[in-house]
Amino acid sequence: RGLWKEARLPRVDPYGFERPKDFDYVSYEEFFSRYLVILTRRAIKWSKLLKGNNRIQKSLKVKRYIRKGIPNEHRALIWMIVSGAQANMEQNPGYYNKLLEGEKSDTLVEAIKTDMNRTFPDNVQFRKTANPCLQQTLYNVLVAYGHHNKTVGYCQGMNFIAGYLILITKNEEESFWLLDALIGRILPDYYSPAMMGLKTDQEVLGELVRKKVPAVADLMDRHGVMWTLIVSRWFICLFIDILPVETVLRIWDCIFYEGSKIIFRVALALIKQHQAFILEATNLPDICDKFKQITRGTFVTECHTFMQKIFTEPGSLSMATVNKLRETCRAKLVAQGSTNNI
Amino acid sequence: MLVGDSGVGKTCLLVRFKDGAFLAGSFISTVGIDFRVSIWHCLMVSCLCPFQIWDTAGQERFRSVTHAYYRDAHALLLLYDVTNRASFDNIQAWLTEIHEYAQQDVVLMLLGNKVDSTQDRVVKREDGEKLAKEYGVPFMETSAKSGLNVDLAFTAIAKELKHRSMKLPNEPKFKLHDYVKKEVRGSGCCRS
């Protein structure tokens, strides 16, 4: 069954990830042939937009283009420009290398080393036997970043994010500056030791779900499920290893341009789309399982439709709303923290 | 719930127990609480209620995210890596944390993992025993790679939990410490 199709779609995807054993080649091939048409159309539009001078400025048109997906050949460049990473890199020549040559903290290096073999063991480019082996590149980026941003240092999850950046840019220094754009500017403080940004955003999502999908919020309350259990990994890993690679990259396109509220859009779209399915859950393990299942299947694989859905399904979500919620949720957490002595 | 420093082998231990397999280098670092919740019906313990096993991230900063879940845990398996001195030295900090956040009567067990790596061992078995005795915690050495004592660790906990929940007046009290002492195997035998 579908043998000829398996022959056409390689066992390893274009980024080096081995497709899982139960990968549905037939339906993926069917999706991809449709997506290829879109990709081609977008590629033509983008090359017209860039007109060979590789320069863009933020505009409604660019925002629309980005929501429809950045072609892979331009992805690294556009991420670099819209995130401000390019400007930072140009303003600080030699800075990255200086970090690498500087003195290293033993505990930081140790923590990073522990995760080297545990970052994408399913990606052929990260294998010890690969040539070039991206483990060394990953190590360099993380060690440099840990010394650049000493408050954050190294937090698990950053290994996956840096790994993706390396796969897309194929450039160590650019990966470093993009990581800095994400952690230092675009995302709230998810990765610092107190993880306040993460704890806050988990609460913010809870509030948004209560407003937009109240039945699911009730279900969570009834079974005493804290959102951290479901979404800490979604947020920390920016959906890596949760959603399919292509979908994650499309989400990141928008995060680099529009910021961290996109994360809520993705989470809300997933939850709203599968509301009835989630509500079938009758106990905590069931709820956990349902939330795992909604991150798989055609809804998330068909990345182009999925990206349209994240902007329609959850309804309006302004940065002002998100910021206001963040403020109140953070204040609540701080108040709790001072009484609980956390 | 499985707890312990980053990289001591919590996920490997859970997968070894669940699937009977050890897949070297096939796991990614666990981030946050992985609700890799395994439902387990223990055959040794005739009990209708299944057990949920939770895997957690070991990195220190995640503890403030995960310790909210300690209070709901009935049992904690606290792991260190016998080839990593720091992971053993951190056990005291883990115990302090557990005492602070977990239920008073939580079932606790200390496991020294990776005993298959005899050449790299830096924490002696006696050190683990001594520390466990000091804190009155049952202890055993395990290997997710060879499978040594893995089933035993989970089964012993299941037995203890069942006895606690049943509170059978006629049955002699189950003694986790004694059970573990009787059943535990040394790393000298059955190495892979």
Side-chain angles (χ1 to χ4, degrees):
Chain A
R1 186 184 67 99
L3 254 184
W4 64 278
K5 287 194 169 172
E6 286 189 35
R8 273 171 54 174
L9 262 187
R11 209 175 47 81
V12 174
D13 78 10
Y15 307 98
F17 290 98
E18 283 179 331
R19 298 192 202 274
K21 279 201 189 80
D22 57 352
F23 188 76
D24 186 347
Y25 286 89
V26 177
S27 59
Y28 192 79
E29 174 88 357
E30 195 270 320
F31 151 71
F32 201 75
S33 59
R34 275 183 286 127
Y35 190 43
L36 207 56
V37 179
I38 298 166
L39 285 176
T40 312
R41 192 168 66 226
R42 299 316 307 165
I44 295 166
K45 296 241 179 196
W46 272 91
S47 42
K48 265 190 203 154
L49 180 78
L50 295 168
K51 287 192 218 90
N53 65 9
N54 288 349
R55 237 172 253 236
I56 54 156
Q57 274 184 331
K58 287 202 164 194
S59 69
L60 275 176
K61 185 181 177 184
V62 171
K63 181 171 158 182
R64 197 176 70 238
Y65 269 48
I66 286 179
R67 285 186 176 190
K68 289 181 182 178
I70 306 169
N72 214 22
E73 66 262 37
H74 303 305
R75 195 162 252 148
L77 174 80
I78 304 301
W79 285 2
M80 287 296 289
I81 296 172
V82 299
S83 67
Q86 185 74 37
N88 271 337
M89 188 167 87
E90 281 163 11
Q91 282 154 21
N92 298 283
Y95 178 72
Y96 176 73
N97 284 324
K98 220 181 277 167
L99 284 170
L100 281 184
E101 286 156 12
E103 213 174 296
K104 310 289 187 312
S105 142
D106 289 344
T107 44
L108 180 85
V109 165
E110 220 28 68
I112 291 168
K113 276 191 179 157
T114 309
D115 281 340
M116 277 304 109
N117 289 319
R118 306 195 294 168
T119 310
F120 305 139
D122 59 337
N123 189 301
V124 294
Q125 301 195 65
F126 280 90
R127 298 257 162 84
K128 273 210 182 98
T129 48
N131 187 23
C133 170
L134 295 184
Q135 271 193 21
Q136 185 61 43
T137 318
L138 177 68
Y139 173 84
N140 288 350
V141 171
L142 291 174
V143 168
Y145 193 76
H147 288 91
H148 162 69
N149 185 341
K150 292 206 172 77
T151 328
V152 168
Y154 172 68
C155 176
Q156 287 180 324
M158 283 162 58
N159 51 331
F160 300 123
I161 293 175
Y164 260 43
L165 294 172
I166 292 164
L167 286 173
I168 295 303
T169 60
K170 301 182 181 71
N171 180 306
E172 199 175 305
E173 191 176 358
E174 287 181 7
S175 301
F176 168 83
W177 288 107
L178 283 171
L179 187 66
D180 182 49
L182 280 172
I183 293 175
R185 293 192 299 277
I186 298 171
L187 302 172
D189 53 341
Y190 282 178
Y191 307 93
S192 59
M195 304 191 107
M196 262 315 264
L198 174 72
K199 290 176 198 161
T200 305
D201 274 10
Q202 288 169 170
E203 297 303 313
V204 171
L205 181 72
E207 291 301 313
L208 289 169
V209 172
R210 192 171 306 285
K211 210 158 34 176
K212 292 172 187 285
V213 209
V216 171
D218 290 345
L219 177 83
M220 301 293 272
D221 287 347
R222 243 190 348 268
H223 296 279
V225 189
M226 284 180 274
W227 281 101
T228 173
L229 184 61
I230 309 295
V231 297
S232 60
R233 217 159 66 90
W234 292 10
F235 288 7
I236 288 281
C237 299
L238 297 178
F239 300 103
I240 293 176
D241 202 49
I242 290 158
L243 298 178
V245 183
E246 206 62 50
T247 312
V248 173
L249 295 172
R250 289 287 304 269
I251 294 168
W252 285 26
D253 288 347
C254 296
I255 291 178
F256 277 117
Y257 191 92
E258 296 184 52
S260 57
K261 70 170 182 173
I262 296 298
I263 299 168
F264 295 116
R265 284 205 165 277
V266 174
L268 287 168
L270 281 170
I271 294 166
K272 204 161 178 198
Q273 171 78 19
H274 299 98
Q275 177 172 193
F277 177 71
I278 294 168
L279 291 175
E280 286 169 17
T282 52
N283 53 46
L284 184 131
D286 228 16
I287 295 175
C288 291
D289 186 53
K290 293 269 192 283
F291 272 99
K292 234 177 201 177
Q293 286 195 49
I294 64 170
T295 60
R296 299 181 192 135
T298 40
F299 181 65
V300 295
T301 307
E302 306 213 346
C303 54
H304 199 66
T305 332
F306 180 78
M307 290 309 286
Q308 288 168 340
K309 283 271 165 83
I310 74 161
F311 292 105
T312 53
E313 197 87 347
S316 80
L317 182 69
S318 71
M319 202 64 219
T321 312
V322 170
N323 284 338
K324 217 168 152 192
L325 278 172
R326 277 180 173 155
E327 218 173 281
T328 50
C329 288
R330 182 179 282 256
K332 237 186 258 171
L333 282 167
V334 170
Q336 278 169 17
S338 56
T339 53
N340 290 352
N341 211 3
I342 295 173
Chain B
M1 193 167 189
L2 294 152
V3 294
D5 270 12
S6 181
V8 297
K10 297 177 288 295
T11 306
C12 281
L13 193 86
L14 176 56
V15 170
R16 161 57 93 171
F17 169 68
K18 254 177 55 189
D19 306 334
F22 179 77
L23 303 158
S26 63
F27 296 112
I28 61 168
S29 348
T30 306
V31 171
I33 292 191
D34 199 350
F35 53 88
R36 200 173 297 164
V37 183
S38 312
I39 310 286
W40 171 47
H41 291 272
C42 180
L43 295 175
M44 302 277 288
V45 179
S46 50
C47 171
L48 285 176
C49 182
F51 296 90
Q52 293 165 28
I53 309 167
W54 300 67
D55 195 6
T56 62
Q59 205 185 4
E60 192 170 356
R61 64 190 71 182
F62 283 103
R63 288 183 210 169
S64 67
V65 179
T66 53
H67 68 206
Y69 273 85
Y70 290 4
R71 68 177 159 83
D72 294 326
H74 296 117
L76 295 168
L77 287 166
L78 175 56
L79 276 79
Y80 67 88
D81 167 3
V82 298
T83 70
N84 176 348
R85 185 86 215 173
S87 75
F88 179 71
D89 294 339
N90 281 338
I91 289 296
Q92 302 215 9
W94 276 105
L95 288 166
T96 312
E97 168 115 353
I98 288 165
H99 284 301
E100 189 166 345
Y101 294 101
Q103 291 173 22
Q104 287 262 304
D105 61 343
V106 69
V107 179
L108 190 59
M109 190 180 284
L110 182 66
L111 304 178
N113 193 33
K114 303 196 191 175
V115 287
D116 52 90
S117 317
T118 32
Q119 306 222 316
D120 301 321
R121 184 199 271 270
V122 289
V123 183
K124 282 186 290 200
R125 181 205 182 95
E126 296 78 48
D127 296 342
E129 278 170 347
K130 194 170 158 241
L131 184 73
K133 207 170 171 189
E134 216 172 284
Y135 285 89
V137 178
F139 167 74
M140 62 178 89
E141 290 195 325
T142 56
S143 164
K145 189 169 179 181
S146 74
L148 178 79
N149 292 333
V150 175
D151 285 359
L152 175 63
F154 286 94
T155 309
I157 293 232
K159 285 192 177 226
E160 170 74 13
L161 287 176
K162 188 211 167 189
H163 277 261
R164 284 191 186 190
S165 67
M166 306 283 276
K167 286 191 191 100
L168 294 173
N170 297 328
E171 243 177 74
K173 193 176 181 301
F174 176 73
K175 293 198 176 69
L176 181 59
H177 276 90
D178 296 347
Y179 179 75
V180 166
K181 256 189 205 136
K182 195 175 85 198
E183 299 287 328
V184 74
R185 285 167 175 276
S187 52
C189 64
C190 59
R191 205 177 301 146
S192 65

